[in-house]
Amino acid sequence: MKIAHINDKPYVIKDGETMLNFITRYMGPSSVPTLCDAPNLNPFGACRVCSVEVALEDGGKRKTMASCHSPVGEGQYIYTDSPSVQKLRKNIIELVLTDHPLDCLTCEVNGNCELQTVAGQVGIREVRYPEGETHLEREKDFSHPYLTSDMSKCINCYRCVRACDEVQGQFVLSMAGRGFDAKIVKGNDQSFYESDCVSCGACVQACPTSAISDVYQSKAIGATETTRTICTYCGVGCNLDVSTVNGEVVSIKAPYDAEVNEGHTCLKGRYAFKFYNHPERLRSPLIKKNGKFEEASWEEAYDLIESKLRQYKSDFGPDYIAGISSSRCTNEENYLMQKFIRTAIGTNNIDGCARVCHSPTALGMQRTFGTGAATNSIEDLKHTNCIMVIGANPTDAHPVTGARLKQFSMKSDNVSIVIDPRRTELASYATYHIPLRPGTNVAVLNMMMYYIISEGLTDDSFIGSRTEGFEDFKNEILALDLDKMAEVSGVDKELVRKAAIAYATAPNAMSFHGLGVTEHSQGTFTVMQIADLALLTGNIGRKGVGVNPLRGQNNVQGSADMGVQPHQGAGYLDITKDEVIQKYSQFYGVDVPTEIGYKIPEMFDAALQGKLKAIWIIGEDVVQTDPNTQKVIKALEATDFVVVQELFMTETAKYADVVLPGASFLEKSGTFTNGERRVQAVRAVVEPIEGTKVDGQIIVDMMNRMGYNQPDYTPDGMLREISQIVPFFAGIKWEELGKNGKQWPVKPNGEDTQILHTEEFKRGKG
C-alpha cells in the first residue's frame, strides 16, 4: 500500500493518478482551483492555477508544481493552500483578468462562470496590474445554427481546442498569434459556419467562460431543474442532463460521469430536442370519417378500437390482427405491446424494425455463441490493439462511438481495419481499408480466415478447449479458390492478407459491424463469419476483444429482448416449444398462441390477400422506411382497420383509421437497452403535452378493454414483471439502475455482466 500526504495527513494513492486526481478524490472537486482542467480531457498544465507545493519528505524542501499533470508519488507531502501557493494563484488570476472584459453582470454565464468562481476562490478583490487588452474589437460569431462565440471572453485555456481534438477528433479549433494577440481560430480563421465543425458542442461544454456557447445558452443558470435521461437517436445510449424552466426544456448537456458517453454527445443529442413541443405534434386522438380526420376524445377512440378488434377476432380469428412495435419506445412499452398481441388478441403476429434490420446479428451470434448480443463494451476500446469495422459508418450513424473509433484509429500504435465499399471518414484513417464490391462480405471474410489458418496464426489452445468442428471448418476454408474470391470481391489479395495477419497477431482485437452486414441475404452467415474470426484467434471473453454489433435505433436491442418478433417471445424463448408455451401461458394466465406469426412483409402480403383485417402500428413509419413504398401503401389501404400511434402525422399515419397521440422520450419513464446490453433508466423530464398519453399506458388501457387485466404503466412495476419472465433481466430493479444502468445478464443479486463468454459459451462450445 503506497502512501502520500495531503496537508500532512496520510492517504493511499493509486497507480497512474495525478496529484490533482489524488487530492480531489479525498478532499473534493473544489479543493484545488483549476481553469484548464476538465474531467474528459488529458492533463495540460496551461493555467498553473492548480499549483501546489510538494516535498519529498516530512519537513523537506518544497517545490511548486502544477498538480493537474504531475504524477503523485509514494512518500510525497503535498500542500494545497500554503501562503505562497495562495499568493501564486491570486497573481495568475489577476493577470488573466487584465486581459478579460469585466462585464460579468451582463454576461451569459454570470453565476456559472468558472473564471468568476476561481477568482472568488483565490480571493480576488482588486486587480493590481494596469488594464491590458480586453479584445472587445473581436467580432462575435453568430453564423452557426447552434454554436456562438465571443472571443473577447477567451482566457486561452485551450479546453475548446483539446475537446475538439481529444473528444470529437475534428481538429477545427486551434490557437493563433502570440502574447496578448493570441486567440482561438476556427479552421483557417473562418466562422463556425464556414469551418468543418460537426456541431457536437464539445467545445461549448468545455469552455469555462462564455467565449464559446450555443443558441440555447446552455451554461446560463436560468434552469430550475436538471433531469438525467437517455438519448433517443441511436444505439449508443448517451446519457443526457436535460435542464428545464417551468416545465419547459431549455438545454441539454452530457454528464461527465456517464460511462457510455463520458461528457460527449452529438448534434442531435445536444440540440435536436425542440420537436417535443413542436406545433405539429399530435395533441388529440383522430378518427377518419368520410376520408378526413376529425378530433375525438380518448374514450371515443378507445371504443372504436375495442369494437373493431373484438369484431375481427370474433368473425375471422385473432390471426387476422397484427401489431408492429417500435424500437423508439421503452423496453416496458415493447414488452407490453407484444404481450397485448399475444394475450389480449391471441396471435404471434407481432414484429418490429429490430428483427427486420438486426435479426441476422441475433441469429448468427446465437448459432455461434448462444447469445445474440454484443460480447463487450465500448469502454474496451481503451484496452484493445486492433479494431475491425465492417458494413458500418459509425462517425455518421453512431457519432459518439464513431468519435472514439476515430480517436483510436488516429493513434500510430493502433491497427484499424475498415471493410466498406465506400471511403468513409473512418476508412480515411484506417491502417487497412478493404474497398470490396457491395454484397461480397462473405468472400472477403473467407479470404481473411484462409490467411489466418494458412499462416498458422490460429489460437490452437482456445480452439481446442472452447470450440467444436474446427478440422472440418479448416478443410473447407483451405479448399477455397482465393483468386476467385478476389475476383468476386474486387479486392487485392495482398491487402486482405496483411489485414488478416494484423487482426490475428494483435494482442487484443475487436470487431464492429452494422447494417452493411445484416441487410443482405447472406447477413446471418456473415455475422457467423465475423464470430468465427474471433474464435479462430481467441478474441472472445476478455477485455478489449469480442464481436460488437452497432445497433441502429436507440432501443433495437431492447425491442428484440422484449419479444417483438413473431417467432420468439420475451427473452428470446422459442414460441413453438411445448415447455416455452407452458411457461408463457402459466405466467400470463392465458393460453398463448403456438404458431409462428407474420413478419412485417408477410403482414403486407396477408393484407393484400384479404387475410389481415386490422393492424396496430406504434412509432414506425413503414410507408417511408420499408422497401417498395407503393406495395406498403396498397397493403394499408387493403387493411380494413389501421391504428397508428405517433407523435406527428407521418406518411403512415395518413393511411390510418385511428391515430393516437403518444409521448416522446422526454415525457415518459422506462428503460432503453443500448448496443452494449446496458439497460439504462429513461426518466420523464416534462409532463406529456396536453391531449397525449404515454405509449405504455395506451397499451395498458386497451389490454384492459380487451379483457386482459393489466396494472397501470409504471417503470418499476413493469420491470418487476419483466424480471420474472426474461432470464437475463432477473436482477434488474428500477431503483437500482442508478446513473449508468446495468449490462445484462443481471443475476438475481443485481450483479451485472460487462463481458460475455469469459469461461464458456451459452451453447456449450463455439
Side-chain angles (χ1 to χ4, degrees), residues 132-144:
E133 297 285 340
T134 57
H135 306 295
L136 291 173
E137 77 285 354
R138 291 178 180 172
E139 187 176 349
K140 296 179 181 180
D141 184 358
F142 299 114
S143 63
H144 195 276

Side-chain angles (χ1 to χ4, degrees), residues 440-451:
T440 61
N441 294 323
V442 170
V444 171
L445 292 173
N446 274 336
M447 292 171 71
M448 288 187 70
M449 289 189 284
Y450 179 98
Y451 285 120

Side-chain angles (χ1 to χ4, degrees), residues 162-239:
R162 291 148 58 210
C164 194
D165 295 359
E166 298 172 20
V167 177
Q168 181 60 36
Q170 202 65 19
F171 302 96
V172 169
L173 302 173
S174 58
M175 186 72 75
R178 292 177 176 274
F180 280 123
D181 293 326
K183 64 175 183 176
I184 298 294
V185 295
K186 307 131 188 169
N188 294 320
D189 204 1
Q190 303 162 296
S191 68
F192 259 132
Y193 185 76
E194 294 168 323
S195 73
D196 291 331
C197 173
V198 294
S199 312
C200 72
C203 58
V204 176
Q205 189 159 324
C207 179
T209 67
S210 62
I212 297 181
S213 187
D214 56 45
V215 295
Y216 299 115
Q217 298 190 1
S218 59
K219 293 185 285 189
I221 60 171
T224 55
E225 189 174 353
T226 299
T227 306
R228 180 86 162 248
T229 192
I230 308 301
C231 183
T232 189
Y233 282 109
C234 78
V236 174
C238 290
N239 284 229

Side-chain angles (χ1 to χ4, degrees), residues 576-681:
T576 64
K577 291 185 176 180
D578 291 341
E579 64 272 20
V580 173
I581 294 169
Q582 183 179 356
K583 180 176 182 174
Y584 282 142
S585 297
Q586 185 175 353
F587 185 74
Y588 292 141
V590 298
D591 291 334
V592 297
T594 60
E595 299 294 324
I596 293 175
Y598 291 144
K599 302 180 183 73
I600 290 176
E602 293 170 339
M603 293 178 189
F604 298 147
D605 289 339
L608 292 170
Q609 295 165 14
K611 296 179 180 179
L612 189 71
K613 296 298 180 182
I615 188 169
W616 188 325
I617 303 171
I618 299 180
E620 288 286 333
D621 193 1
V622 291
V623 171
Q624 290 274 64
T625 60
D626 279 45
N628 199 340
T629 295
Q630 292 306 313
K631 179 181 178 180
V632 174
I633 291 172
K634 289 177 181 177
L636 292 176
E637 290 175 334
T639 305
D640 286 1
F641 190 64
V642 178
V643 179
V644 173
Q645 201 165 307
E646 259 296 355
L647 302 181
F648 295 91
M649 181 55 70
T650 63
E651 291 302 309
T652 300
K654 292 175 182 177
Y655 294 92
D657 296 285
V658 178
V659 179
L660 300 176
S664 74
F665 82 106
L666 293 166
E667 302 158 332
K668 65 174 74 171
S669 294
T671 57
F672 293 153
T673 305
N674 77 348
E676 52 181 6
R677 299 171 283 105
R678 189 184 298 269
V679 182
Q680 301 186 98

Side-chain angles (χ1 to χ4, degrees), residues 470-749:
F470 174 66
E471 286 303 320
D472 290 340
F473 177 83
K474 173 183 174 181
N475 293 334
E476 290 287 340
I477 290 293
L478 293 180
L480 293 173
D481 183 342
L482 248 62
D483 290 330
K484 186 65 175 177
M485 298 290 106
E487 180 186 344
V488 166
S489 59
V491 299
D492 179 1
K493 287 192 300 182
E494 184 59 23
L495 177 63
V496 177
R497 177 179 171 274
K498 289 178 180 178
I501 292 172
Y503 177 90
T505 56
N508 299 295
M510 297 180 77
S511 70
F512 299 87
H513 67 269
L515 299 183
V517 164
T518 58
E519 290 188 331
H520 285 284
S521 58
Q522 74 275 30
T524 300
F525 187 73
T526 307
V527 172
M528 293 176 69
Q529 286 181 300
I530 295 169
D532 286 339
L533 271 174
L535 292 178
L536 282 175
T537 54
N539 279 304
I540 284 288
R542 64 180 188 275
K543 273 188 174 293
V545 299
V547 178
N548 303 280
L550 294 168
R551 301 302 195 185
Q553 292 180 353
N554 55 295
N555 203 31
V556 162
Q557 183 68 56
S559 174
D561 294 345
M562 294 300 105
V564 178
Q565 51 245 335
H567 62 294
Q568 293 175 325
Y572 298 102
L573 304 182
D574 186 341
I575 53 92
T576 64
K577 291 185 176 180
D578 291 341
E579 64 272 20
V580 173
I581 294 169
Q582 183 179 356
K583 180 176 182 174
Y584 282 142
S585 297
Q586 185 175 353
F587 185 74
Y588 292 141
V590 298
D591 291 334
V592 297
T594 60
E595 299 294 324
I596 293 175
Y598 291 144
K599 302 180 183 73
I600 290 176
E602 293 170 339
M603 293 178 189
F604 298 147
D605 289 339
L608 292 170
Q609 295 165 14
K611 296 179 180 179
L612 189 71
K613 296 298 180 182
I615 188 169
W616 188 325
I617 303 171
I618 299 180
E620 288 286 333
D621 193 1
V622 291
V623 171
Q624 290 274 64
T625 60
D626 279 45
N628 199 340
T629 295
Q630 292 306 313
K631 179 181 178 180
V632 174
I633 291 172
K634 289 177 181 177
L636 292 176
E637 290 175 334
T639 305
D640 286 1
F641 190 64
V642 178
V643 179
V644 173
Q645 201 165 307
E646 259 296 355
L647 302 181
F648 295 91
M649 181 55 70
T650 63
E651 291 302 309
T652 300
K654 292 175 182 177
Y655 294 92
D657 296 285
V658 178
V659 179
L660 300 176
S664 74
F665 82 106
L666 293 166
E667 302 158 332
K668 65 174 74 171
S669 294
T671 57
F672 293 153
T673 305
N674 77 348
E676 52 181 6
R677 299 171 283 105
R678 189 184 298 269
V679 182
Q680 301 186 98
V682 180
R683 299 176 179 90
V685 176
V686 294
E687 292 295 318
I689 61 175
E690 187 176 355
T692 69
K693 286 191 177 187
V694 171
D695 297 272
Q697 188 58 49
I698 295 172
I699 302 168
V700 167
D701 291 345
M702 284 311 305
M703 290 177 78
N704 284 296
R705 278 177 165 262
M706 293 297 293
Y708 188 94
N709 185 27
Q710 180 71 35
D712 280 347
Y713 178 87
T714 61
D716 53 336
M718 287 310 308
L719 275 178
R720 276 195 299 273
E721 178 176 337
I722 293 167
S723 67
Q724 297 174 60
I725 192 65
V726 176
F728 46 85
F729 267 56
I732 295 182
K733 298 177 182 177
W734 173 256
E735 62 273 14
E736 294 179 2
L737 287 174
K739 291 183 176 180
N740 287 298
K742 295 191 175 186
Q743 290 173 267
W744 67 252
V746 181
K747 297 177 182 177
N749 65 2

Side-chain angles (χ1 to χ4, degrees), residues 39-159:
N40 62 339
L41 300 178
N42 294 326
F44 193 63
C47 70
R48 288 326 208 230
V49 177
C50 68
S51 293
V52 295
E53 285 193 324
V54 184
L56 298 180
E57 59 185 4
D58 189 12
K61 184 179 179 180
R62 299 182 185 183
K63 180 180 180 181
T64 302
M65 303 177 71
S67 64
C68 69
H69 66 79
S70 300
V72 65
E74 185 176 9
Q76 288 179 341
Y77 285 76
I78 302 171
Y79 299 93
T80 61
D81 291 299
S82 66
S84 64
V85 163
Q86 291 183 23
K87 185 177 179 181
L88 172 63
R89 291 173 183 163
K90 188 173 181 179
N91 191 50
I92 291 170
I93 297 302
E94 284 185 279
L95 288 169
V96 171
L97 292 175
T98 64
D99 196 38
H100 191 83
L102 300 180
D103 54 356
C104 298
L105 291 178
T106 57
C107 181
E108 171 194 329
V109 296
N110 183 30
N112 191 37
C113 171
E114 291 183 45
L115 176 60
Q116 195 178 55
T117 301
V118 171
Q121 191 174 355
V122 302
I124 296 293
R125 299 296 178 266
E126 62 177 346
V127 177
R128 296 168 296 161
Y129 298 103
E131 183 177 337
E133 297 285 340
T134 57
H135 306 295
L136 291 173
E137 77 285 354
R138 291 178 180 172
E139 187 176 349
K140 296 179 181 180
D141 184 358
F142 299 114
S143 63
H144 195 276
Y146 300 107
L147 307 189
T148 65
S149 70
D150 177 2
M151 289 307 173
S152 69
K153 306 293 177 62
C154 180
I155 60 172
N156 292 1
C157 66
Y158 280 83
R159 274 164 62 167

